[in-house]
Amino acid sequence: MNFPLFIARRIYGSRTNQKQVSRPAITIATLGMAIGLAVMIISVCVVIGFKAEIRNKVFGFGSHIQIMNMEQTRSFESYPVVGDDSLIQAVKKIDDVDHVQRYITKPCLIKTSDEFRGVALKGIGQEYDCSFLRNHLVDGEIPEFTDSVVSNQVIISQNIADELNIKMGDKIFCYFMGNSIRARRYQVAGIYCTHLMEFDQNLIFTDIKALVKLNGWENDQVSGLEVTVKDYSRLNEIYYKMVHAINGQIDHYGDSYFSCTIEQLYASLFGWLSLLDMNVWVILILMLAVAGFTMISGLLIIILERTNMIGVLKALGATNTTVRHTFLYFAVFVIGKGLLFGNILGLGLCFIQKYFSVFHLDAQTYYVDTVPVLINPLLILLLNTVTLIISVLVLIVPSYLVSHIHPAKSIRFE
């Protein structure tokens, strides 16, 4: 029989003859632990949800890895490389590559009857994964871009549509600058909205075949290839394999291939997302400190109020270690109750936000219109475990107070 655990259970379960000071002390310690854990759970779920939401939007526009012309890194102009089936198959042979798709980008000027603005046309083909665009489509539909028929339909963003007063089905004129100014008329087939303004304000999707002809390129030339990997956590490993297999290779027109990850292309955006981790660590440390201090205060109050009991236990032969373990077990019960309430509160608010979107954000500032939440069970379990361990560890030193309590004096203690 575990004697300290037995005594701790009796103390914790006792509801009679409790002194008035101990009740609020235990309540405050429990609430401090519960609120601290709830704040930590909400912070972690919101931050990883926000990062995942922004990353997925960037991946939707540019996938995980891009293969392009080496000259593209030195200029804003779009330089072609061969993107035929043989290159696509060679890329797909690399381990954990999930999907490969071709694209062409070309700057242009959109003009309506009374407005104009510069944008970038992105040509996509039949193999392009349109699930991202489809999920963020607010009006219209995704056109079927085929290899046999050149389409004049485009998908524009809600931001561009509102700014230029463009509606579904409208005809728009795009002007392309070069040795001469060329104009093309397109019909709006769909309107999307991702709230990622860096892309929404500048990107229009159209048929890749139309841009091949407009650029005067050969049928097998494209601006580049977008590669999606199966496991994002292994992105750098897969990228280095692609660098070894693709970078520096020369196509049959004499152009050199170059590959880079989406994190390298948008380093400032991903750097900003990485800074959010620092905010989470600050919150975790502060909440653990608050929970630790409330538990220390509660434990000291309980020890002082139980001085008479400690003296009796020592007089009966209990060692300092036995008494210390008794109060540490008692503290674990209080911590466990706090963790239970903290999980109920924190996860409850997270689930409410996840399924009902109660809290909203300014989309132009935060790139999302509601607070995103991603609940990772493993992280929640790890957070509970670490909180329990740290909370118990910080109580070890205060528990040594029992060694200074002498039976002869403490039994008379009132």
Side-chain angles (χ1 to χ4, degrees):
M1 179 179 177
N2 192 329
F3 180 71
L5 180 59
F6 172 77
I7 298 297
R9 284 176 176 172
R10 294 299 299 269
I11 298 174
Y12 185 77
S14 176
R15 292 294 180 265
T16 59
N17 298 324
Q18 286 193 357
K19 297 184 179 180
Q20 294 300 315
V21 178
S22 64
R23 291 180 181 178
I26 295 175
T27 302
I28 292 172
T30 304
L31 288 177
M33 181 61 62
I35 294 173
L37 181 63
V39 171
M40 289 188 285
I41 289 176
I42 294 171
S43 301
V44 170
C45 290
V46 169
V47 169
I48 63 175
F50 182 78
K51 292 177 65 175
E53 186 75 14
I54 300 301
R55 278 201 306 259
N56 289 338
K57 287 182 179 182
V58 179
F59 297 157
F61 283 111
S63 295
H64 297 132
I65 301 174
Q66 292 191 12
I67 302 173
M68 61 189 75
N69 193 313
M70 178 70 76
E71 294 297 324
Q72 188 72 41
T73 61
R74 307 186 181 100
S75 172
F76 292 106
E77 295 294 328
S78 182
Y79 291 90
V81 289
V82 172
D84 54 12
D85 292 338
S86 61
L87 176 63
I88 293 176
Q89 293 303 318
V91 174
K92 285 184 176 180
K93 289 180 180 178
I94 299 175
D95 293 339
D96 286 322
V97 168
D98 184 44
H99 183 68
V100 183
Q101 55 196 23
R102 298 165 295 167
Y103 73 92
I104 292 178
T105 56
K106 188 170 181 63
C108 72
L109 187 70
I110 295 181
K111 187 178 185 305
T112 60
S113 58
D114 53 357
E115 296 286 347
F116 67 91
R117 68 164 300 164
V119 297
L121 275 176
K122 182 173 183 177
I124 57 178
Q126 188 173 9
E127 79 282 359
Y128 196 89
D129 182 7
C130 294
S131 58
F132 172 76
L133 285 176
R134 193 171 291 108
N135 291 336
H136 291 86
L137 207 62
V138 297
D139 197 4
E141 59 183 9
I142 306 296
E144 293 187 7
F145 298 127
T146 65
D147 292 337
S148 56
V149 180
V150 178
S151 173
N152 70 334
Q153 294 182 309
V154 294
I155 308 167
I156 69 174
S157 70
Q158 184 73 63
N159 183 276
I160 296 176
D162 292 342
E163 184 175 334
L164 300 182
N165 196 25
I166 298 173
K167 297 179 178 60
M168 270 294 305
D170 285 356
K171 302 290 194 305
I172 61 174
F173 284 91
C174 294
Y175 294 86
F176 301 90
M177 308 301 173
N179 295 329
S180 60
I181 299 177
R182 291 172 293 175
R184 295 291 185 274
R185 189 176 71 169
Y186 294 95
Q187 182 180 25
V188 177
I191 299 176
Y192 73 90
C193 179
T194 68
H195 299 299
L196 200 58
M197 296 305 171
E198 184 173 347
F199 297 92
D200 283 10
Q201 292 179 346
N202 300 296
L203 208 55
I204 294 178
F205 294 85
T206 188
D207 187 5
I208 193 172
K209 284 289 184 182
L211 296 188
V212 168
K213 291 188 176 182
L214 194 61
N215 286 332
W217 293 351
E218 300 296 331
N219 289 332
D220 59 355
Q221 288 183 312
V222 294
S223 293
L225 273 65
E226 294 177 345
V227 181
T228 304
V229 302
K230 296 178 181 177
D231 185 0
Y232 176 70
S233 64
R234 299 183 59 228
L235 176 63
N236 289 331
E237 177 186 344
I238 300 168
Y239 167 67
Y240 290 131
K241 291 181 181 179
M242 193 165 296
V243 168
H244 181 73
I246 304 296
N247 279 28
Q249 300 293 321
I250 308 297
D251 65 17
H252 50 258
Y253 296 110
D255 296 305
S256 178
Y257 292 106
F258 174 81
S259 59
C260 62
T261 66
I262 195 72
E263 295 180 0
Q264 293 169 339
L265 280 175
Y266 301 101
S268 59
L269 180 58
F270 282 92
W272 169 61
L273 291 178
S274 298
L275 290 177
L276 296 178
D277 294 335
M278 180 61 67
N279 297 336
V280 174
W281 281 112
V282 171
I283 292 174
L284 293 180
I285 293 172
L286 289 177
M287 290 301 101
L288 284 173
V290 170
F293 282 125
T294 56
M295 284 304 306
I296 291 173
S297 301
L299 180 63
L300 292 177
I301 292 173
I302 297 300
I303 291 175
L304 292 175
E305 285 194 344
R306 296 285 176 172
T307 300
N308 187 276
M309 186 198 75
I310 295 172
V312 172
L313 290 175
K314 287 188 174 184
L316 293 174
T319 63
N320 287 328
T321 302
T322 300
V323 179
R324 283 179 49 242
H325 287 176
T326 299
F327 285 97
L328 287 176
Y329 278 126
F330 177 85
V332 169
F333 293 147
V334 177
I335 294 170
K337 187 175 181 180
L339 293 180
L340 175 62
F341 290 155
N343 279 284
I344 293 174
L345 178 61
L347 291 176
L349 291 175
C350 287
F351 277 112
I352 290 173
Q353 177 61 24
K354 182 178 178 67
Y355 293 106
F356 299 102
S357 299
V358 177
F359 302 100
H360 296 271
L361 295 173
D362 181 6
Q364 291 190 351
T365 303
Y366 296 100
Y367 305 134
V368 289
D369 54 354
T370 62
V371 177
V373 173
L374 180 61
I375 300 173
N376 188 321
L378 291 178
L379 280 179
I380 301 301
L381 179 61
L382 179 62
L383 196 59
N384 277 268
T385 304
V386 172
T387 302
L388 174 61
I389 293 173
I390 292 178
S391 299
V392 173
L393 289 177
V394 298
L395 296 177
I396 292 177
V397 174
S399 69
Y400 276 96
L401 178 63
V402 300
S403 64
H404 298 285
I405 298 176
H406 301 285
K409 296 180 180 179
S410 59
I411 291 177
R412 300 194 304 269
F413 180 78
E414 293 294 339

Short mmCIF file of all heavy atoms in Angstrom, two decimals, residues 38 48 62-63 75 85 150 160 166 189 241 249 259 270 299 309 341 344-345 367 372:
data_model
loop_
_atom_site.label_atom_id
_atom_site.label_comp_id
_atom_site.label_asym_id
_atom_site.label_seq_id
_atom_site.Cartn_x
_atom_site.Cartn_y
_atom_site.Cartn_z
N ALA A 38 -5.82 26.34 -20.73
CA ALA A 38 -6.77 26.73 -21.77
C ALA A 38 -6.15 27.76 -22.71
O ALA A 38 -6.28 27.66 -23.94
CB ALA A 38 -8.04 27.27 -21.14
N ILE A 48 -0.99 27.36 -35.08
CA ILE A 48 -0.71 26.33 -36.08
C ILE A 48 -1.82 26.31 -37.13
O ILE A 48 -1.58 26.01 -38.30
CB ILE A 48 -0.54 24.93 -35.45
CG1 ILE A 48 -1.81 24.46 -34.74
CG2 ILE A 48 0.63 24.92 -34.49
CD1 ILE A 48 -1.70 23.04 -34.21
N GLY A 62 1.22 28.21 -55.85
CA GLY A 62 2.53 27.90 -56.42
C GLY A 62 3.07 26.53 -56.11
O GLY A 62 4.24 26.27 -56.41
N SER A 63 2.28 25.64 -55.49
CA SER A 63 2.72 24.29 -55.12
C SER A 63 3.92 24.36 -54.16
O SER A 63 4.18 25.39 -53.56
CB SER A 63 3.04 23.46 -56.36
OG SER A 63 1.86 23.25 -57.11
N SER A 75 15.65 38.10 -63.72
CA SER A 75 14.82 39.07 -64.42
C SER A 75 13.36 38.84 -64.09
O SER A 75 12.96 37.74 -63.68
CB SER A 75 15.04 38.97 -65.94
OG SER A 75 14.12 39.78 -66.63
N ASP A 85 6.38 15.88 -71.74
CA ASP A 85 6.03 14.72 -70.93
C ASP A 85 7.25 14.00 -70.37
O ASP A 85 7.19 13.43 -69.28
CB ASP A 85 5.19 13.73 -71.76
CG ASP A 85 3.82 14.30 -72.10
OD1 ASP A 85 3.37 15.21 -71.38
OD2 ASP A 85 3.19 13.82 -73.07
N VAL A 150 -8.25 26.24 -77.83
CA VAL A 150 -7.76 27.40 -77.09
C VAL A 150 -8.96 28.16 -76.53
O VAL A 150 -9.89 28.49 -77.26
CB VAL A 150 -6.93 28.32 -77.99
CG1 VAL A 150 -6.48 29.55 -77.21
CG2 VAL A 150 -5.72 27.58 -78.53
N ILE A 160 -9.97 42.11 -57.75
CA ILE A 160 -9.86 42.76 -59.06
C ILE A 160 -11.24 43.09 -59.61
O ILE A 160 -11.47 44.16 -60.18
CB ILE A 160 -9.07 41.86 -60.03
CG1 ILE A 160 -7.63 41.68 -59.55
CG2 ILE A 160 -9.09 42.45 -61.44
CD1 ILE A 160 -6.82 40.72 -60.38
N ILE A 166 -16.08 44.57 -62.43
CA ILE A 166 -16.26 43.48 -63.40
C ILE A 166 -17.20 42.45 -62.79
O ILE A 166 -17.09 42.11 -61.61
CB ILE A 166 -14.92 42.83 -63.75
CG1 ILE A 166 -13.99 43.86 -64.41
CG2 ILE A 166 -15.12 41.63 -64.67
CD1 ILE A 166 -12.59 43.34 -64.64
N ALA A 189 -15.17 33.80 -66.55
CA ALA A 189 -15.92 32.55 -66.31
C ALA A 189 -16.06 32.25 -64.83
O ALA A 189 -16.94 31.48 -64.43
CB ALA A 189 -15.22 31.38 -67.00
N LYS A 241 16.99 16.29 -53.76
CA LYS A 241 17.00 15.25 -54.79
C LYS A 241 16.68 15.85 -56.16
O LYS A 241 17.28 15.45 -57.17
CB LYS A 241 15.98 14.17 -54.44
CG LYS A 241 16.34 13.33 -53.22
CD LYS A 241 15.28 12.27 -52.97
CE LYS A 241 15.63 11.43 -51.74
NZ LYS A 241 14.57 10.41 -51.47
N GLN A 249 20.51 21.03 -65.92
CA GLN A 249 20.25 20.29 -67.16
C GLN A 249 19.85 21.26 -68.27
O GLN A 249 19.19 22.28 -68.02
CB GLN A 249 19.16 19.25 -66.95
CG GLN A 249 19.49 18.19 -65.90
CD GLN A 249 20.64 17.31 -66.34
OE1 GLN A 249 20.76 16.94 -67.52
NE2 GLN A 249 21.52 16.97 -65.40
N SER A 259 15.53 24.92 -60.06
CA SER A 259 14.40 24.62 -59.18
C SER A 259 14.58 25.32 -57.84
O SER A 259 15.71 25.53 -57.39
CB SER A 259 14.25 23.11 -58.98
OG SER A 259 15.41 22.55 -58.41
N PHE A 270 7.10 33.46 -45.43
CA PHE A 270 7.34 32.31 -44.56
C PHE A 270 8.19 32.71 -43.34
O PHE A 270 8.07 32.11 -42.28
CB PHE A 270 8.02 31.18 -45.33
CG PHE A 270 7.08 30.40 -46.20
CD1 PHE A 270 6.88 30.75 -47.53
CD2 PHE A 270 6.37 29.33 -45.69
CE1 PHE A 270 6.00 30.04 -48.33
CE2 PHE A 270 5.48 28.61 -46.48
CZ PHE A 270 5.29 28.97 -47.80
N LEU A 299 0.20 25.16 -2.40
CA LEU A 299 0.87 24.10 -1.64
C LEU A 299 1.39 24.62 -0.31
O LEU A 299 1.26 23.95 0.73
CB LEU A 299 2.01 23.52 -2.46
CG LEU A 299 2.81 22.39 -1.79
CD1 LEU A 299 1.92 21.18 -1.54
CD2 LEU A 299 4.03 21.99 -2.63
N MET A 309 -1.13 18.18 11.52
CA MET A 309 -1.17 16.83 10.95
C MET A 309 0.23 16.33 10.63
O MET A 309 0.56 15.15 10.84
CB MET A 309 -2.02 16.83 9.68
CG MET A 309 -2.24 15.43 9.09
SD MET A 309 -2.79 15.50 7.38
CE MET A 309 -1.26 15.94 6.55
N PHE A 341 -10.30 20.73 -16.32
CA PHE A 341 -11.10 21.91 -16.64
C PHE A 341 -10.46 22.74 -17.76
O PHE A 341 -11.16 23.31 -18.60
CB PHE A 341 -11.27 22.78 -15.39
CG PHE A 341 -12.17 22.16 -14.35
CD1 PHE A 341 -12.05 22.51 -13.01
CD2 PHE A 341 -13.13 21.24 -14.70
CE1 PHE A 341 -12.87 21.94 -12.05
CE2 PHE A 341 -13.95 20.66 -13.75
CZ PHE A 341 -13.82 21.01 -12.43
N ILE A 344 -11.25 21.09 -21.07
CA ILE A 344 -12.66 21.31 -21.43
C ILE A 344 -12.87 22.73 -21.96
O ILE A 344 -13.51 22.94 -22.99
CB ILE A 344 -13.57 21.04 -20.21
CG1 ILE A 344 -13.53 19.56 -19.84
CG2 ILE A 344 -15.00 21.47 -20.51
CD1 ILE A 344 -14.28 19.23 -18.57
N LEU A 345 -12.29 23.70 -21.26
CA LEU A 345 -12.44 25.10 -21.67
C LEU A 345 -11.72 25.39 -22.98
O LEU A 345 -12.30 25.95 -23.92
CB LEU A 345 -11.92 26.02 -20.55
CG LEU A 345 -11.95 27.51 -20.84
CD1 LEU A 345 -13.37 27.98 -21.08
CD2 LEU A 345 -11.31 28.29 -19.68
N TYR A 367 -5.21 38.03 -43.79
CA TYR A 367 -5.32 37.09 -44.91
C TYR A 367 -6.39 36.02 -44.71
O TYR A 367 -6.53 35.13 -45.55
CB TYR A 367 -3.98 36.40 -45.21
CG TYR A 367 -2.84 37.37 -45.45
CD1 TYR A 367 -1.61 37.19 -44.85
CD2 TYR A 367 -3.00 38.47 -46.29
CE1 TYR A 367 -0.56 38.09 -45.06
CE2 TYR A 367 -1.97 39.37 -46.51
CZ TYR A 367 -0.75 39.16 -45.90
OH TYR A 367 0.27 40.05 -46.11
N PRO A 372 -8.56 30.99 -37.68
CA PRO A 372 -8.39 29.57 -38.04
C PRO A 372 -7.93 28.75 -36.84
O PRO A 372 -7.14 29.22 -36.02
CB PRO A 372 -7.32 29.60 -39.13
CG PRO A 372 -6.51 30.82 -38.82
CD PRO A 372 -7.44 31.81 -38.16
#
